[in-house]
Amino acid sequence: MDRNLALELVRVTETAALASAGYMGRGDKEAADQAAVDGMRRAFSSFSIKGTVVIGEGELDEAPMLYIGEEVGCCKDGDMEVDIAVDPLEGTTLIAKGLPNAIAVLAMAPKGCLLHAPDTYMKKIAVGPKAKGVVDINASVKDNLEAVAKALNKNIEDLTVTVQDRPRHDQLIKDIRDAGARIKLFSDGDVATAIATGFDETGIDIMMGIGGAPEGVIAAVALKCLGGDMQGILYPMSPEEDARCRAMGLSEEDVKKVLYLDDLVSSEDCFFAATGITQGDLLSGVVYTGNNRASTHSVVMRGQTGTIRFVEADHRLDKNDTLVEVM
Ligand code: VTB
Ligand code: MG
Ligand code: MG
């Protein structure tokens, strides 16, 4: 894929972030989400790819935009066929309350290279590049923490594990505490915390726990670009979720299989982009700087070369056609 697509991708996540940031603290998850979806979709319309959404806002009947199967991009002859995974507002509750780590995010890979994850939960473990190859999602928490501590040349007591604050993680949290590691609980947004494992300055070494399967695939693309590691196991928690797995042709046995990084995203030729909406561990949020301006902070990664770019942008809200249209 053309390396110039990286900047195009950032435009898309920036637009989604700017479109939804105004809803911070309004307590209206749906409106913020809709604004992000509208912004992202409009930005896609001038992006020269032939893209198909494989992870999106849901099935056509429940999601009018960025639904699974929707074609995006203004494809011209010769444009590359790509699969796209989007979460225009990852962390709707976070923005509704003005809490940290809401991001606009998307991932892209050649056609057929992203796992078509059913809309169920997924058990996940993610680590940065220094701990690549040492974790095993089926090993005990203690064994994984020992292995990561060794790889990072730290004591277990110095490790920071990030876990979503949910009752389903009570045992996991207890096991991490018993092993002696530090924990950073987060209320929502495990894409942002998974990515944070790839950057020393966030102080986050491992992300563990059960979150969304679609979010798992998106995070996996980032970890692939970063040279980190991630494993997942689908984790349906209701009969409806079991049915979604069956509908995608997955048997009970298939569902239990460990999904390695290469199963989640099977090509190195992938891209990942995220823009902060609220202030986060890695990315700043949207800041309204006055005089119709707003600043954004994004990260864009390319798997082929491993280049990671941080993009700080200053936007004129009244001059950008796409934004004027969606805001
Ligand atoms: C997960 C997580 C997401 O929502 O999907 C979570 O991956 C849903 O978990 O990052 P609950 O049903 O327990 O709320 C997010 O936190 C936000 O989309
Ligand atoms: Mg979403
Ligand atoms: Mg989400």
Side-chain angles (χ1 to χ4, degrees), residues 20 23 25-37 89 91-97 166 188:
S20 62
Y23 290 87
R26 294 191 158 270
D28 190 346
K29 297 198 288 188
E30 284 76 23
D33 202 20
Q34 188 61 55
V37 172
L89 171 43
T92 53
T93 306
L94 299 175
I95 192 163
K97 297 184 177 178
R166 292 291 188 277
D188 270 295

Side-chain angles (χ1 to χ4, degrees), residues 87 90-91 121 124 164 166 168 187-191 211-212 215:
D87 204 343
E90 157 61 355
Y121 287 86
K124 317 172 188 180
Q164 194 165 16
R166 292 291 188 277
R168 62 178 177 267
S187 62
D188 270 295
D190 71 356
V191 177
E215 280 89 347

